[in-house]
Amino acid sequence: MAKADIVIIGGAIVGSSIAYFLREEGFAGSIALIERDPHFTCSSTTLSAASIRQQFSIPQNIRLSQFTLGLFRDLKARFGKDADIGFREKGYLILASEAGREVLQHNHGVQQAEGAEIILEGPEALHSRFPWLNTEGIAAGAYGLKGEGWFDAHAYLNLFRRALRERKVDFVAGTVSGIAVTNGQATTVTLSSGETIETGVVINAAGPNAGRVAAMAGLSLPVEPRKRSVFVFEAKDRFDDMPLLVDPSGIYVRPEGSVYITGGAEPHDADKAAGPEDFEPDWPLFEEVIWPTLAGRIPAFEAIRPGRAWAGHYDYNTLDQNAVIGPHPDMRNFFFCNGFSGHGLQQAPAAGRAIAELIVHGAYRTIDCAAFGYERIAENRPFRELNII
Ligand SMILES: Cc1cc2nc3c(=O)[nH]c(=O)nc-3n(C[C@H](O)[C@H](O)[C@H](O)COP(=O)(O)OP(=O)(O)OC[C@H]3O[C@@H](n4cnc5c(N)ncnc54)[C@H](O)[C@@H]3O)c2cc1C
């Protein structure tokens, strides 16, 4: 039987970040980072919209993203002078109708208190800032002057993976199929190959599959895969000042090089767990909902050329659409870092560091993540994020 002091299940951005910060915090023991899909063809990390924002509704989420922003600013010092993730700091523009104005204003207050450079503007100011925008039905918009934008998810993941190679982390290619529990502690992880790894700590970084991985240890975690489609299109007009725009309908659009990507607006009543193999983009959603809405909001998008599309899975926390970070209160050597519900790419470094601090120092040192703890799940006490895109 193989042995590892720490086993991390899932080697994409969350698992890699945890391993990276364990070493940064001085953990010298053995780490096995287990990944079933070594090219990350189906991971949320590589299928995401790869964007970062400050515009959340609760301070803790803003702090997690601000930590990552600091890491972006510090990339070369941390990962070497060739480190580049193509960060385009173009902002988010979140639009609200009259019905959503109060929430937008409230969120803006929270963001300002956290030092985020977000401005709130009415329809006229928005139109003169972005003349291509139709502000009909818009009561207000919140626009990020700094600290928001998009980047290359593959390059970002590769930076962490490359750093791990120099930090003696064992990359194990395999699928975890079982977790043995002895005297209330997770003790052995079994792979579908039959191989077993004895361990002192198990960390669940399995993204949309985290609910199933928790169940292997007999634990309940309300995280399931929810399919989200992303559509690429071309348009004749290019708007170099265009932020990531979120319409009141929930539909988002942003430039991606010479094209645009768009998504959002999955119907609430039909939103349910996706089959683990279902990566088929929802084309009717684009044709019947997204495109007509976009053409109304940005008249230049009435004539577009649709391109390719893909679908990924949100690591969706059905209780409150927020991360679950920290140990299980009764199985203290089983840690969760799951349920980011569409904002995990940008929060992975902060969450990874938080888990590393707990394991190495026994307490959070950089950002207090206690509010994200599993206790709220056990007590059915939602800690809700309102800005889910
Ligand atoms: C369409 C879309 C758009 C998104 N846009 C954004 C965005 O703009 N900004 C943002 O911050 N976030 C965004 N997200 C969310 C973000 O991608 C995720 O929250 C984040 O990538 C989660 O990282 P992860 O490492 O936990 O999960 P994943 O990237 O899914 O990685 C989990 C890994 O665990 C592995 N695994 C699972 N089960 C097992 C097992 N039993 N054995 C071994 N390995 C296993 C998987 O193969 C996978 O590689 C988006 C997601 C989607 C789908």
Side-chain angles (χ1 to χ4, degrees), residues 9-15 34-37 40 42-52 92 151 174-177 205-209 213 216 226 228-230 244 252 310-315 337-338 340-347:
I9 305 172
I13 196 62
V14 168
I34 308 178
E35 175 53 55
R36 64 180 178 184
D37 173 19
F40 301 103
C42 294
S43 72
S44 306
T45 296
T46 52
L47 296 173
S48 80
S51 305
I52 181 168
Y92 270 57
F151 53 94
T175 301
V176 172
S177 56
N209 199 34
V213 165
M216 292 176 196
R226 293 269 177 107
R228 295 292 180 266
S229 305
V230 183
L244 189 154
Y252 69 85
W310 73 87
H313 291 163
Y314 266 19
D315 41 353
C337 202
N338 309 118
F340 293 90
S341 309
H343 44 272
L345 195 66
Q346 63 193 280
Q347 297 193 332

Side-chain angles (χ1 to χ4, degrees), residues 11 29 58-59 70 74 77 89 98 121 156 201 236 274 312 316 347 357:
I58 54 172
D74 220 15
E89 200 167 348
E98 197 50 55
E121 291 187 327
Y156 173 59
V201 173
K236 199 154 64 56
Y316 197 88
Q347 297 193 332
E357 287 175 350

Side-chain angles (χ1 to χ4, degrees), residues 231-247:
F231 304 92
V232 181
F233 68 88
E234 284 177 41
K236 199 154 64 56
D237 293 301
R238 289 197 43 152
F239 306 114
D240 285 333
D241 59 345
M242 191 176 181
L244 189 154
L245 182 148
V246 187
D247 184 74

